Amino acid sequence: MHAMRLDAPHAALQWVELPDRQPGPGEIRVRVGACGVCRTDLHVVDGDLPFPGHPVIPGHEIVGRIDALGEGVQGLHPGQRVGIPWLGHTCGTCRYCHSGHENLCDHPLFTGYTRDGGYATAAIADARYAFPLGEDGDDVDLAPLLCAGLIGWRSLVMAGEDARTLGLYGFGAAAHIIAQVAIWQGRRVYGFTRPGDSKTQDFARGLGAVWAGGSDEQPPEPLDAAIIFAPVGALVPAALRAVRKGGRVVCAGIHMSEIPAFSYDLLWEERQLVSVANLTRQDGLDFLSLAPRIGIRTSTTRYPLREANRALADLRAGRFEGAAVLVP
């Protein structure tokens, strides 16, 4: 197998050839058809998340086909197309796993961070965290659903069913997917981009947003809820300022820059500030079963696997709309 591997934080990924790996008990091996490039991958490469202490293959928006089963795997078969997400393993014994909050497991493994991921021609995965995808749709189009879509879905659920006016801060991979879900649900979506980014604002309006503007602007009406996808702490007080009394601001990223001090009146009147962490398998089942009914269209830019560093640089600089996807 071949892979793009991170050997040290702040370093470029290296093209490496590795022996084919065999799945252990409860695991599967997947031949990767496509792997999305997520902002969390940037946080791993750029050292925003603690380096795991060993070389790692990034990538956690994996679409591929099973080509080997480990001992004890049931319900999956060779040749089946599956998706592998960020949450790659949970202990099953801690209080969070027992209470339906496996996304907060005390002893998790994360695909592409604490276990090798999908910037490769093959990947090993815990069979319990492989989602059957069926045969509809292209691998590249489906890949962003495995994190951008899933974390967007969990964030949308946390925003609340009564959030009819919804602001999305940072209109990238996750927002362009979840905007389509929210609009399908009958919500009014407001897209917030970097100030002056008229191209992305046009992109948001093209997907059905009723308004799009800079993150330094106020929407034309108070928001019921806002989801912050951009890893920019300064957006927290901006979003609190935009939501109505009793409104909710959801922070969807795994990492965010420092949140500046803000006056209590922005939080007062029962506004809520919450975060989203990882996902549960039920999140995946719920969203992936709903996505075909909605007819979600992902906007993707393809890169050969060897050009993973360029894809990461383009993501960092905001050079494309939607999501980047690596193809072996």
Side-chain angles (χ1 to χ4, degrees), residues 276-320:
V276 166
N278 313 314
L279 68 143
T280 67
R281 281 172 286 183
Q282 192 60 52
D283 293 328
L285 295 172
D286 291 345
F287 174 68
L288 293 172
S289 65
L290 187 63
R293 293 170 51 196
I294 298 171
I296 292 172
R297 296 177 291 108
T298 54
S299 176
T300 58
T301 300
R302 301 185 184 210
Y303 295 79
L305 176 60
R306 278 184 177 266
E307 297 186 17
N309 287 310
R310 181 166 69 90
L312 289 166
D314 288 349
L315 173 60
R316 189 183 289 109
R319 295 192 183 105
F320 53 79

Side-chain angles (χ1 to χ4, degrees), residues 2 45 71 80 94 116 137 139 152 164 170 202 254 259 292 297:
H2 292 89
V45 172
E71 181 182 351
Q80 185 174 10
C94 71
D116 283 334
D139 289 354
R164 310 316 297 170
D202 289 341
I254 192 172
I259 299 172
R297 296 177 291 108

Side-chain angles (χ1 to χ4, degrees), residues 15-301:
W15 177 259
V16 295
E17 182 175 358
L18 301 167
D20 282 336
R21 300 171 180 177
Q22 299 302 315
E27 295 181 331
I28 57 174
R29 187 174 67 200
V30 174
R31 290 295 170 186
V32 177
C35 184
V37 179
C38 178
R39 186 161 294 276
T40 301
D41 300 333
L42 273 184
H43 295 320
V44 173
V45 172
D46 292 347
D48 296 324
L49 299 178
F51 187 66
H54 54 78
V56 64
I57 300 169
H60 57 273
E61 295 179 325
I62 305 169
V63 176
R65 293 188 181 273
I66 298 171
D67 78 342
L69 300 175
E71 181 182 351
V73 173
Q74 298 181 347
L76 298 172
H77 58 82
Q80 185 174 10
R81 186 166 67 163
V82 295
I84 311 299
W86 166 251
L87 185 61
H89 173 84
T90 57
C91 69
T93 59
C94 71
R95 62 179 294 184
Y96 299 105
C97 287
H98 278 301
S99 62
H101 297 91
E102 64 182 3
N103 59 307
L104 302 177
C105 174
D106 282 333
H107 306 287
L109 292 175
F110 298 113
T111 308
Y113 180 39
T114 53
R115 68 181 299 162
D116 283 334
Y119 285 18
T121 55
I124 301 293
D126 185 328
R128 299 175 303 158
Y129 289 88
F131 297 116
L133 294 177
E135 295 300 321
D136 292 338
D138 180 79
D139 289 354
V140 170
D141 295 333
L142 292 175
L145 302 183
L146 271 298
C147 184
L150 287 177
I151 205 66
W153 171 253
R154 186 170 180 87
S155 300
L156 183 63
V157 171
M158 191 166 287
E161 292 184 3
D162 59 344
R164 310 316 297 170
T165 56
L166 179 70
L168 303 178
Y169 285 78
F171 212 90
H176 100 283
I177 292 172
I178 219 60
Q180 297 175 61
V181 179
I183 291 165
W184 180 80
Q185 293 175 333
R187 307 180 198 233
R188 296 190 303 282
V189 170
Y190 295 77
F192 295 83
T193 72
R194 295 172 180 171
D197 188 354
S198 58
K199 182 180 178 182
T200 303
Q201 291 163 20
D202 289 341
F203 177 56
R205 285 189 288 265
L207 288 173
V210 298
W211 177 90
S215 59
D216 58 344
E217 299 179 54
Q218 284 291 103
E221 65 174 317
L223 303 174
D224 295 327
I227 303 174
I228 301 176
F229 291 112
V232 181
L235 293 177
V236 170
L240 285 170
R241 192 174 290 112
V243 298
R244 62 167 173 79
K245 293 182 286 187
R248 178 176 291 185
V249 173
V250 181
C251 299
I254 192 172
H255 169 81
M256 182 177 280
S257 61
E258 186 171 339
I259 299 172
F262 56 87
S263 60
Y264 177 64
D265 64 292
L266 289 183
L267 189 60
W268 189 57
E269 295 176 316
E270 299 191 353
R271 293 176 180 86
Q272 301 174 51
L273 178 62
V274 298
S275 69
V276 166
N278 313 314
L279 68 143
T280 67
R281 281 172 286 183
Q282 192 60 52
D283 293 328
L285 295 172
D286 291 345
F287 174 68
L288 293 172
S289 65
L290 187 63
R293 293 170 51 196
I294 298 171
I296 292 172
R297 296 177 291 108
T298 54
S299 176
T300 58
T301 300

